[in-house]
Amino acid sequence: MTSYDYDFFVIGAGSGGVRASRIAASFGARVAVAESYRPGGTCVIRGCVPKKLLVYAAHFHEDFEDARGYGWTVPAAEFSWPKLIEAKDREIARLEGIYENLLVKAGVTLIRGRARVADAHTVEVDGVRHTAKHILVATGGWPAKTEIPGAELGITSNEAFELKHLPRRVLMIGGGYIAVEFAGIFRGLGAEVTLSYRGSEILRGFDDDVRRHLRAEIEARGVRVLLRNEVVSIERHGAGLRARTSDVDITIDCDCVMFATGRMPNTAGLGLAEAGVALDENGAVIVDAFGQSSVPSIHAVGDVTHRVQLTPVAIREGQALANTLFNNRPTTVAYGNIPSAVFSQPPIGTVGDTEEQAIQKYGRVEIYQASFRPMKHTLSGRAEKTYMKLIVEPASQKVIGAHMVGPDAPEIIQGIGIAVVAGLTKQQFDDTVGIHPTAAEEFVTMREKVLRGF
Ligand code: NDP
Protein backbone atom coordinates (compact mmCIF):
# COMPACT_ATOMS: atom_id res chain seq x y z
CA MET A 1 0.00 0.00 0.00
CA THR A 2 1.26 3.48 -0.85
CA SER A 3 2.07 5.51 2.21
CA TYR A 4 1.51 9.26 2.12
CA ASP A 5 2.73 11.99 4.47
CA TYR A 6 -0.88 13.03 5.06
CA ASP A 7 -4.37 11.70 4.43
CA PHE A 8 -5.58 15.17 3.49
CA PHE A 9 -3.61 18.17 2.29
CA VAL A 10 -5.63 21.36 2.18
CA ILE A 11 -4.48 24.40 0.25
CA GLY A 12 -5.97 27.55 1.77
CA ALA A 13 -6.99 28.24 5.37
CA GLY A 14 -10.16 30.18 4.59
CA SER A 15 -13.73 29.33 5.52
CA GLY A 16 -13.98 26.17 3.40
CA GLY A 17 -10.45 24.89 3.97
CA VAL A 18 -10.48 25.36 7.73
CA ARG A 19 -13.83 23.60 8.13
CA ALA A 20 -12.80 20.70 5.90
CA SER A 21 -9.48 20.25 7.73
CA ARG A 22 -10.94 20.40 11.24
CA ILE A 23 -13.73 17.99 10.49
CA ALA A 24 -11.42 15.61 8.62
CA ALA A 25 -9.02 15.66 11.59
CA SER A 26 -11.92 14.94 13.95
CA PHE A 27 -12.55 11.76 11.94
CA GLY A 28 -8.95 10.72 12.54
CA ALA A 29 -7.38 11.89 9.27
CA ARG A 30 -3.81 13.19 9.29
CA VAL A 31 -4.30 16.69 7.94
CA ALA A 32 -2.06 19.55 6.82
CA VAL A 33 -3.19 22.94 5.62
CA ALA A 34 -1.02 25.37 3.70
CA GLU A 35 -1.71 29.09 3.87
CA SER A 36 0.32 31.76 2.09
CA TYR A 37 -1.24 34.76 3.81
CA ARG A 38 -3.27 34.75 7.03
CA PRO A 39 -5.46 31.95 8.42
CA GLY A 40 -9.11 33.00 8.20
CA GLY A 41 -9.22 33.71 4.48
CA THR A 42 -11.13 36.41 2.68
CA CYS A 43 -14.17 36.37 4.95
CA VAL A 44 -12.26 36.96 8.15
CA ILE A 45 -9.27 38.96 6.94
CA ARG A 46 -10.61 41.16 4.12
CA GLY A 47 -14.22 40.33 3.50
CA CYS A 48 -17.41 39.77 5.46
CA VAL A 49 -16.06 40.45 8.96
CA PRO A 50 -14.07 43.68 8.50
CA LYS A 51 -16.73 44.85 6.02
CA LYS A 52 -19.44 44.50 8.64
CA LEU A 53 -17.33 46.39 11.18
CA LEU A 54 -16.99 49.21 8.66
CA VAL A 55 -20.75 49.12 8.04
CA TYR A 56 -21.36 49.57 11.78
CA ALA A 57 -18.93 52.49 11.78
CA ALA A 58 -20.68 54.13 8.84
CA HIS A 59 -24.10 53.77 10.42
CA PHE A 60 -23.27 55.98 13.40
CA HIS A 61 -23.56 58.93 11.07
CA GLU A 62 -27.32 58.34 10.78
CA ASP A 63 -27.64 57.25 14.38
CA PHE A 64 -26.29 60.60 15.62
CA GLU A 65 -28.75 62.44 13.40
CA ASP A 66 -31.66 60.23 14.42
CA ALA A 67 -30.88 60.67 18.12
CA ARG A 68 -31.91 64.34 17.92
CA GLY A 69 -35.52 63.36 17.32
CA TYR A 70 -35.40 61.50 20.63
CA GLY A 71 -34.34 64.46 22.71
CA TRP A 72 -30.59 64.03 22.50
CA THR A 73 -28.32 66.93 21.85
CA VAL A 74 -25.44 65.47 19.93
CA PRO A 75 -22.36 67.67 19.66
CA ALA A 76 -20.61 67.75 16.29
CA ALA A 77 -19.17 64.26 15.91
CA GLU A 78 -15.67 63.66 14.61
CA PHE A 79 -14.55 60.54 12.83
CA SER A 80 -11.05 59.11 12.56
CA TRP A 81 -10.47 56.58 9.79
CA PRO A 82 -7.02 55.56 11.13
CA LYS A 83 -8.56 54.79 14.54
CA LEU A 84 -11.28 52.68 12.92
CA ILE A 85 -8.77 50.76 10.81
CA GLU A 86 -6.54 50.21 13.83
CA ALA A 87 -9.46 48.85 15.87
CA LYS A 88 -10.57 46.69 12.95
CA ASP A 89 -7.03 45.35 12.53
CA ARG A 90 -6.87 44.40 16.22
CA GLU A 91 -10.12 42.46 15.95
CA ILE A 92 -9.05 40.72 12.74
CA ALA A 93 -5.73 39.73 14.34
CA ARG A 94 -7.69 38.29 17.29
CA LEU A 95 -9.91 36.27 14.96
CA GLU A 96 -6.93 35.10 12.95
CA GLY A 97 -5.44 33.78 16.19
CA ILE A 98 -8.67 31.95 16.95
CA TYR A 99 -8.66 30.32 13.51
CA GLU A 100 -5.06 29.25 13.92
CA ASN A 101 -5.84 27.84 17.35
CA LEU A 102 -8.80 25.91 16.03
CA LEU A 103 -6.53 24.19 13.55
CA VAL A 104 -3.80 23.47 16.06
CA LYS A 105 -6.28 22.13 18.64
CA ALA A 106 -7.83 19.88 16.00
CA GLY A 107 -4.37 18.41 15.39
CA VAL A 108 -3.99 19.94 11.93
CA THR A 109 -0.47 20.86 10.79
CA LEU A 110 -0.40 24.46 9.58
CA ILE A 111 2.24 25.06 6.93
CA ARG A 112 2.95 28.65 6.02
CA GLY A 113 3.86 29.26 2.42
CA ARG A 114 2.60 29.19 -1.14
CA ALA A 115 1.53 25.75 -2.26
CA ARG A 116 1.55 24.28 -5.73
CA VAL A 117 0.09 20.98 -6.84
CA ALA A 118 2.94 18.89 -8.30
CA ASP A 119 0.89 15.81 -9.16
CA ALA A 120 -2.27 13.99 -8.14
CA HIS A 121 -0.85 13.20 -4.68
CA THR A 122 1.88 15.78 -4.14
CA VAL A 123 1.84 19.39 -3.02
CA GLU A 124 4.95 21.52 -2.99
CA VAL A 125 5.18 24.37 -0.49
CA ASP A 126 8.12 26.68 -1.05
CA GLY A 127 10.16 23.83 -2.52
CA VAL A 128 9.22 21.20 0.10
CA ARG A 129 7.18 18.28 -1.21
CA HIS A 130 4.34 16.73 0.80
CA THR A 131 2.36 13.72 -0.34
CA ALA A 132 -1.29 13.11 0.49
CA LYS A 133 -4.03 10.66 -0.31
CA HIS A 134 -6.42 13.52 -0.98
CA ILE A 135 -5.73 17.15 -1.87
CA LEU A 136 -8.24 19.94 -1.34
CA VAL A 137 -8.02 23.18 -3.27
CA ALA A 138 -9.70 25.85 -1.15
CA THR A 139 -7.85 28.91 -2.37
CA GLY A 140 -10.89 31.16 -2.75
CA GLY A 141 -11.15 34.06 -5.13
CA TRP A 142 -9.53 37.36 -5.91
CA PRO A 143 -11.11 40.68 -6.92
CA ALA A 144 -11.06 41.26 -10.67
CA LYS A 145 -10.58 44.67 -12.23
CA THR A 146 -11.94 45.51 -15.65
CA GLU A 147 -9.25 45.94 -18.27
CA ILE A 148 -9.30 49.65 -18.91
CA PRO A 149 -6.45 52.12 -19.30
CA GLY A 150 -5.36 53.26 -15.86
CA ALA A 151 -6.92 50.30 -14.02
CA GLU A 152 -3.72 50.09 -11.95
CA LEU A 153 -4.66 53.43 -10.38
CA GLY A 154 -7.80 51.91 -8.89
CA ILE A 155 -8.16 49.77 -5.79
CA THR A 156 -10.31 46.73 -4.95
CA SER A 157 -11.94 45.66 -1.71
CA ASN A 158 -8.55 44.18 -0.69
CA GLU A 159 -6.96 47.61 -0.49
CA ALA A 160 -10.09 49.37 0.75
CA PHE A 161 -9.57 47.77 4.16
CA GLU A 162 -6.04 49.12 4.39
CA LEU A 163 -6.38 52.70 3.13
CA LYS A 164 -4.33 55.15 5.16
CA HIS A 165 -6.90 57.93 4.79
CA LEU A 166 -10.60 58.09 4.06
CA PRO A 167 -10.86 59.33 0.47
CA ARG A 168 -12.91 62.49 0.08
CA ARG A 169 -14.41 61.49 -3.27
CA VAL A 170 -14.89 57.86 -4.29
CA LEU A 171 -15.90 56.37 -7.62
CA MET A 172 -17.26 52.84 -7.25
CA ILE A 173 -17.34 50.65 -10.36
CA GLY A 174 -19.90 47.83 -10.36
CA GLY A 175 -23.42 47.31 -9.10
CA GLY A 176 -23.14 44.07 -7.13
CA TYR A 177 -22.77 43.17 -3.46
CA ILE A 178 -19.41 44.81 -2.86
CA ALA A 179 -20.19 47.98 -4.82
CA VAL A 180 -23.35 48.81 -2.91
CA GLU A 181 -21.89 47.79 0.45
CA PHE A 182 -18.78 49.94 0.06
CA ALA A 183 -20.75 52.82 -1.47
CA GLY A 184 -22.74 52.82 1.78
CA ILE A 185 -19.62 52.58 3.92
CA PHE A 186 -17.78 55.44 2.24
CA ARG A 187 -20.90 57.60 2.06
CA GLY A 188 -21.78 56.98 5.71
CA LEU A 189 -18.28 57.95 6.73
CA GLY A 190 -18.61 61.24 4.90
CA ALA A 191 -17.17 60.73 1.40
CA GLU A 192 -18.81 61.89 -1.81
CA VAL A 193 -19.64 58.70 -3.67
CA THR A 194 -20.49 58.02 -7.31
CA LEU A 195 -21.44 54.50 -8.34
CA SER A 196 -21.13 53.60 -12.00
CA TYR A 197 -22.95 50.49 -13.17
CA ARG A 198 -23.14 49.16 -16.71
CA GLY A 199 -26.64 47.67 -16.40
CA SER A 200 -30.09 49.21 -16.17
CA GLU A 201 -30.51 48.60 -12.42
CA ILE A 202 -28.11 47.72 -9.59
CA LEU A 203 -27.90 44.24 -8.06
CA ARG A 204 -28.67 42.06 -11.05
CA GLY A 205 -30.18 38.78 -9.92
CA PHE A 206 -32.09 40.30 -6.99
CA ASP A 207 -35.84 40.91 -7.05
CA ASP A 208 -36.61 43.94 -9.24
CA ASP A 209 -38.67 45.71 -6.56
CA VAL A 210 -35.80 45.22 -4.12
CA ARG A 211 -33.31 46.61 -6.61
CA ARG A 212 -35.38 49.73 -7.30
CA HIS A 213 -36.12 50.28 -3.62
CA LEU A 214 -32.49 50.03 -2.59
CA ARG A 215 -31.32 52.35 -5.35
CA ALA A 216 -33.83 54.99 -4.30
CA GLU A 217 -32.63 54.66 -0.68
CA ILE A 218 -28.96 54.93 -1.49
CA GLU A 219 -29.61 57.88 -3.77
CA ALA A 220 -31.58 59.54 -0.97
CA ARG A 221 -28.45 59.17 1.16
CA GLY A 222 -26.49 61.12 -1.40
CA VAL A 223 -24.81 58.41 -3.46
CA ARG A 224 -24.82 59.42 -7.11
CA VAL A 225 -25.82 56.33 -9.10
CA LEU A 226 -25.01 56.25 -12.81
CA LEU A 227 -26.83 53.47 -14.65
CA ARG A 228 -25.98 52.19 -18.15
CA ASN A 229 -22.60 53.75 -17.57
CA GLU A 230 -19.13 52.30 -17.96
CA VAL A 231 -15.87 53.74 -16.76
CA VAL A 232 -13.58 53.59 -19.78
CA SER A 233 -10.33 55.05 -18.44
CA ILE A 234 -8.67 56.41 -15.34
CA GLU A 235 -5.84 58.90 -15.30
CA ARG A 236 -4.02 61.03 -12.76
CA HIS A 237 -5.40 64.50 -12.47
CA GLY A 238 -3.67 66.92 -10.14
CA ALA A 239 -3.50 65.31 -6.71
CA GLY A 240 -6.41 63.01 -7.56
CA LEU A 241 -7.82 60.91 -10.37
CA ARG A 242 -10.04 61.56 -13.35
CA ALA A 243 -12.28 58.84 -14.77
CA ARG A 244 -13.85 59.03 -18.18
CA THR A 245 -17.04 57.15 -18.82
CA SER A 246 -18.99 55.78 -21.76
CA ASP A 247 -21.10 58.92 -21.50
CA VAL A 248 -18.81 61.57 -23.00
CA ASP A 249 -20.56 64.21 -20.93
CA ILE A 250 -19.70 62.48 -17.67
CA THR A 251 -16.15 62.72 -16.38
CA ILE A 252 -15.59 62.02 -12.72
CA ASP A 253 -12.89 63.63 -10.62
CA CYS A 254 -12.17 61.72 -7.45
CA ASP A 255 -9.52 60.61 -4.99
CA CYS A 256 -10.17 56.89 -5.16
CA VAL A 257 -11.58 54.56 -7.80
CA MET A 258 -12.68 51.21 -6.45
CA PHE A 259 -13.37 48.23 -8.68
CA ALA A 260 -16.14 46.00 -7.35
CA THR A 261 -16.48 44.11 -10.59
CA GLY A 262 -16.61 40.52 -9.38
CA ARG A 263 -14.17 38.02 -7.95
CA MET A 264 -12.33 35.35 -9.90
CA PRO A 265 -11.14 31.94 -8.72
CA ASN A 266 -7.64 31.85 -7.31
CA THR A 267 -6.00 29.14 -9.41
CA ALA A 268 -3.17 30.93 -11.20
CA GLY A 269 0.19 29.29 -10.56
CA LEU A 270 -1.32 26.41 -8.60
CA GLY A 271 -0.22 23.79 -11.12
CA LEU A 272 -3.74 22.42 -11.46
CA ALA A 273 -4.04 22.27 -15.25
CA GLU A 274 -0.59 20.64 -15.43
CA ALA A 275 -1.76 18.02 -12.93
CA GLY A 276 -4.73 17.28 -15.19
CA VAL A 277 -7.40 19.15 -13.22
CA ALA A 278 -10.12 20.51 -15.53
CA LEU A 279 -10.77 24.24 -15.09
CA ASP A 280 -13.58 26.30 -16.60
CA GLU A 281 -13.15 29.45 -18.69
CA ASN A 282 -12.83 31.55 -15.51
CA GLY A 283 -10.11 29.29 -14.15
CA ALA A 284 -12.49 27.71 -11.63
CA VAL A 285 -11.96 24.09 -10.59
CA ILE A 286 -14.77 22.03 -12.10
CA VAL A 287 -16.12 19.65 -9.47
CA ASP A 288 -18.94 17.14 -9.21
CA ALA A 289 -21.66 17.18 -6.56
CA PHE A 290 -19.17 15.73 -4.05
CA GLY A 291 -16.48 18.34 -4.66
CA GLN A 292 -14.30 15.97 -6.70
CA SER A 293 -12.35 17.36 -9.65
CA SER A 294 -11.44 15.55 -12.87
CA VAL A 295 -8.47 14.09 -10.95
CA PRO A 296 -10.10 11.75 -8.39
CA SER A 297 -7.68 12.58 -5.54
CA ILE A 298 -8.04 16.35 -5.99
CA HIS A 299 -11.08 18.18 -4.65
CA ALA A 300 -12.23 21.78 -4.38
CA VAL A 301 -14.67 23.77 -2.24
CA GLY A 302 -15.70 27.41 -1.91
CA ASP A 303 -15.06 30.39 -4.16
CA VAL A 304 -12.38 28.60 -6.19
CA THR A 305 -15.21 26.58 -7.74
CA HIS A 306 -16.99 29.84 -8.72
CA ARG A 307 -20.47 28.67 -7.82
CA VAL A 308 -22.11 30.36 -4.84
CA GLN A 309 -19.55 32.80 -3.43
CA LEU A 310 -20.74 32.84 0.17
CA THR A 311 -18.85 31.82 3.30
CA PRO A 312 -21.59 29.63 4.81
CA VAL A 313 -21.77 27.74 1.53
CA ALA A 314 -17.99 27.16 1.46
CA ILE A 315 -18.22 25.92 5.05
CA ARG A 316 -20.97 23.47 4.11
CA GLU A 317 -18.99 22.26 1.15
CA GLY A 318 -15.94 21.74 3.37
CA GLN A 319 -17.96 19.84 5.95
CA ALA A 320 -19.63 17.72 3.27
CA LEU A 321 -16.29 16.83 1.71
CA ALA A 322 -14.80 15.78 5.05
CA ASN A 323 -17.84 13.56 5.60
CA THR A 324 -17.52 12.07 2.14
CA LEU A 325 -13.81 11.35 2.34
CA PHE A 326 -13.23 10.47 5.97
CA ASN A 327 -16.55 9.54 7.55
CA ASN A 328 -17.78 7.06 5.01
CA ARG A 329 -20.81 9.27 4.43
CA PRO A 330 -20.97 10.69 0.91
CA THR A 331 -22.58 14.10 1.37
CA THR A 332 -23.72 16.75 -1.08
CA VAL A 333 -24.77 20.32 -0.43
CA ALA A 334 -28.28 21.61 -1.18
CA TYR A 335 -28.02 24.85 -3.11
CA GLY A 336 -31.71 25.80 -3.18
CA ASN A 337 -33.14 28.57 -1.02
CA ILE A 338 -29.85 29.94 0.27
CA PRO A 339 -30.65 33.05 2.31
CA SER A 340 -28.31 35.95 1.73
CA ALA A 341 -27.88 39.56 2.70
CA VAL A 342 -26.38 42.69 1.30
CA PHE A 343 -25.02 44.94 4.05
CA SER A 344 -25.94 48.07 2.20
CA GLN A 345 -27.53 51.02 3.98
CA PRO A 346 -30.30 50.03 4.46
CA PRO A 347 -29.50 46.32 4.23
CA ILE A 348 -31.22 43.66 2.15
CA GLY A 349 -32.22 40.19 3.29
CA THR A 350 -33.46 37.66 0.77
CA VAL A 351 -34.35 34.00 0.48
CA GLY A 352 -35.90 31.93 -2.28
CA ASP A 353 -37.14 33.00 -5.68
CA THR A 354 -37.34 36.55 -6.90
CA GLU A 355 -40.64 37.50 -8.54
CA GLU A 356 -38.98 37.21 -11.95
CA GLN A 357 -37.65 33.69 -11.21
CA ALA A 358 -40.99 32.61 -9.76
CA ILE A 359 -42.88 33.79 -12.84
CA GLN A 360 -40.40 31.92 -15.04
CA LYS A 361 -41.02 28.73 -13.06
CA TYR A 362 -44.74 28.92 -12.35
CA GLY A 363 -46.19 31.39 -14.84
CA ARG A 364 -48.42 33.14 -12.34
CA VAL A 365 -47.61 34.01 -8.74
CA GLU A 366 -49.22 35.74 -5.78
CA ILE A 367 -47.37 38.75 -4.42
CA TYR A 368 -47.78 40.33 -1.00
CA GLN A 369 -45.97 43.56 -0.26
CA ALA A 370 -45.54 46.12 2.46
CA SER A 371 -43.80 49.46 2.33
CA PHE A 372 -43.74 51.60 5.44
CA ARG A 373 -41.75 54.06 7.47
CA PRO A 374 -39.87 52.22 10.23
CA MET A 375 -41.29 53.18 13.63
CA LYS A 376 -37.95 54.60 14.74
CA HIS A 377 -38.23 57.25 12.07
CA THR A 378 -41.58 58.58 13.25
CA LEU A 379 -39.55 60.59 15.76
CA SER A 380 -36.23 60.80 13.97
CA GLY A 381 -37.95 62.31 10.96
CA ARG A 382 -35.85 60.30 8.49
CA ALA A 383 -37.67 59.64 5.24
CA GLU A 384 -36.38 56.05 4.90
CA LYS A 385 -38.88 53.34 3.99
CA THR A 386 -38.75 49.63 4.58
CA TYR A 387 -39.90 47.28 1.82
CA MET A 388 -41.04 43.68 2.32
CA LYS A 389 -42.32 41.13 -0.14
CA LEU A 390 -43.58 37.57 -0.08
CA ILE A 391 -43.98 35.46 -3.19
CA VAL A 392 -46.48 32.61 -3.05
CA GLU A 393 -46.91 29.75 -5.52
CA PRO A 394 -50.67 29.67 -6.20
CA ALA A 395 -51.25 25.91 -6.44
CA SER A 396 -49.41 24.80 -3.30
CA GLN A 397 -49.78 28.15 -1.49
CA LYS A 398 -46.15 27.76 -0.40
CA VAL A 399 -44.11 30.88 0.27
CA ILE A 400 -41.31 30.51 -2.26
CA GLY A 401 -39.60 33.86 -1.83
CA ALA A 402 -39.18 36.45 0.91
CA HIS A 403 -37.35 39.73 0.44
CA MET A 404 -36.76 42.75 2.59
CA VAL A 405 -34.93 46.06 2.39
CA GLY A 406 -34.72 47.88 5.68
CA PRO A 407 -33.12 47.94 9.11
CA ASP A 408 -32.37 44.44 10.44
CA ALA A 409 -33.40 42.76 7.18
CA PRO A 410 -30.53 40.20 7.35
CA GLU A 411 -31.46 39.27 10.94
CA ILE A 412 -35.16 38.95 10.09
CA ILE A 413 -34.70 37.01 6.86
CA GLN A 414 -32.53 34.41 8.58
CA GLY A 415 -35.61 33.34 10.54
CA ILE A 416 -37.98 33.63 7.59
CA GLY A 417 -35.48 31.50 5.66
CA ILE A 418 -36.26 28.55 7.94
CA ALA A 419 -39.93 28.81 7.01
CA VAL A 420 -39.17 29.03 3.30
CA VAL A 421 -36.76 26.09 3.42
CA ALA A 422 -39.38 24.13 5.38
CA GLY A 423 -41.88 24.84 2.57
CA LEU A 424 -44.47 26.55 4.77
CA THR A 425 -47.61 28.01 3.24
CA LYS A 426 -48.91 31.55 3.34
CA GLN A 427 -51.64 30.34 5.69
CA GLN A 428 -48.98 29.06 8.11
CA PHE A 429 -47.30 32.45 8.01
CA ASP A 430 -50.69 34.03 8.76
CA ASP A 431 -51.33 31.57 11.59
CA THR A 432 -48.22 32.84 13.34
CA VAL A 433 -48.88 35.63 15.81
CA GLY A 434 -46.86 38.76 15.12
CA ILE A 435 -44.50 40.33 17.63
CA HIS A 436 -45.66 43.88 18.17
CA PRO A 437 -44.32 46.42 17.47
CA THR A 438 -41.70 45.15 15.07
CA ALA A 439 -41.04 45.40 11.36
CA ALA A 440 -40.82 41.62 11.20
CA GLU A 441 -44.50 41.21 12.12
CA GLU A 442 -45.38 42.48 8.65
CA PHE A 443 -44.29 39.08 7.34
CA VAL A 444 -47.23 37.47 9.16
CA THR A 445 -49.79 40.21 8.61
CA MET A 446 -49.67 40.86 4.87
CA ARG A 447 -53.16 40.33 3.51
CA GLU A 448 -53.41 42.15 0.21
CA LYS A 449 -52.69 39.85 -2.70
CA VAL A 450 -51.62 40.91 -6.19
CA LEU A 451 -51.43 38.40 -9.04
CA ARG A 452 -48.46 38.76 -11.33
CA GLY A 453 -47.19 36.78 -14.32
CA PHE A 454 -49.06 35.35 -17.22
P1 NDP B 1 -20.90 40.70 -8.03
O1 NDP B 1 -20.89 39.59 -8.99
O2 NDP B 1 -21.93 40.75 -6.98
O3 NDP B 1 -20.96 42.06 -8.81
C1 NDP B 1 -20.05 42.38 -9.81
C2 NDP B 1 -20.50 43.66 -10.47
O4 NDP B 1 -19.52 44.08 -11.39
C3 NDP B 1 -21.80 43.49 -11.24
O5 NDP B 1 -22.56 44.64 -11.06
C4 NDP B 1 -21.31 43.33 -12.68
O6 NDP B 1 -22.23 43.76 -13.63
C5 NDP B 1 -20.11 44.25 -12.67
N1 NDP B 1 -19.15 43.87 -13.68
C6 NDP B 1 -18.57 42.67 -13.87
N2 NDP B 1 -17.72 42.70 -14.90
C7 NDP B 1 -17.76 43.96 -15.39
C8 NDP B 1 -17.12 44.62 -16.46
N3 NDP B 1 -16.26 43.98 -17.25
N4 NDP B 1 -17.41 45.92 -16.68
C9 NDP B 1 -18.30 46.58 -15.90
N5 NDP B 1 -18.92 46.01 -14.86
C10 NDP B 1 -18.66 44.72 -14.61
O7 NDP B 1 -19.43 40.72 -7.43
P2 NDP B 1 -18.78 41.52 -6.22
O8 NDP B 1 -17.41 41.85 -6.67
O9 NDP B 1 -19.66 42.60 -5.73
O10 NDP B 1 -18.71 40.40 -5.09
C11 NDP B 1 -18.20 39.10 -5.41
C12 NDP B 1 -19.03 38.06 -4.74
O11 NDP B 1 -18.72 38.01 -3.36
C13 NDP B 1 -20.53 38.30 -4.78
O12 NDP B 1 -21.13 37.81 -5.95
C14 NDP B 1 -21.02 37.56 -3.57
O13 NDP B 1 -21.27 36.22 -3.90
C15 NDP B 1 -19.85 37.66 -2.61
N6 NDP B 1 -20.12 38.70 -1.61
C16 NDP B 1 -21.13 38.49 -0.73
C17 NDP B 1 -21.42 39.43 0.22
C18 NDP B 1 -22.53 39.19 1.17
O14 NDP B 1 -22.95 38.06 1.31
N7 NDP B 1 -23.06 40.22 1.81
C19 NDP B 1 -20.68 40.69 0.32
C20 NDP B 1 -19.66 40.81 -0.67
C21 NDP B 1 -19.39 39.85 -1.59
P3 NDP B 1 -23.37 42.80 -14.22
O15 NDP B 1 -24.42 42.69 -13.17
O16 NDP B 1 -23.83 43.54 -15.42
O17 NDP B 1 -22.72 41.51 -14.54
Side-chain angles (χ1 to χ4, degrees), residues 154-175:
I155 63 165
T156 68
S157 54
N158 282 353
E159 295 80 30
F161 291 114
E162 311 291 338
L163 290 173
K164 295 279 171 269
H165 308 282
L166 176 68
R168 196 167 60 79
R169 298 162 304 170
V170 178
L171 167 60
M172 190 66 62
I173 308 179

Side-chain angles (χ1 to χ4, degrees), residues 349-353 389-391 399-404 413 416 420 443:
T350 172
V351 61
D353 286 339
K389 179 174 194 175
L390 286 179
I391 299 165
V399 175
I400 55 170
H403 309 275
M404 174 171 177
I413 287 290
I416 298 292
V420 173
F443 273 126

Side-chain angles (χ1 to χ4, degrees), residues 139 145 252 268 275 296 311 324 332 369 445:
T139 47
K145 289 182 181 178
I252 299 152
T311 275
T324 301
T332 58
Q369 299 177 87
T445 54

Side-chain angles (χ1 to χ4, degrees), residues 8 136 290-291 299 301 316-326:
F8 197 35
L136 171 61
F290 296 95
H299 315 264
V301 297
R316 285 199 167 218
E317 290 170 354
Q319 173 106 21
L321 184 72
N323 265 314
T324 301
L325 298 180
F326 302 107

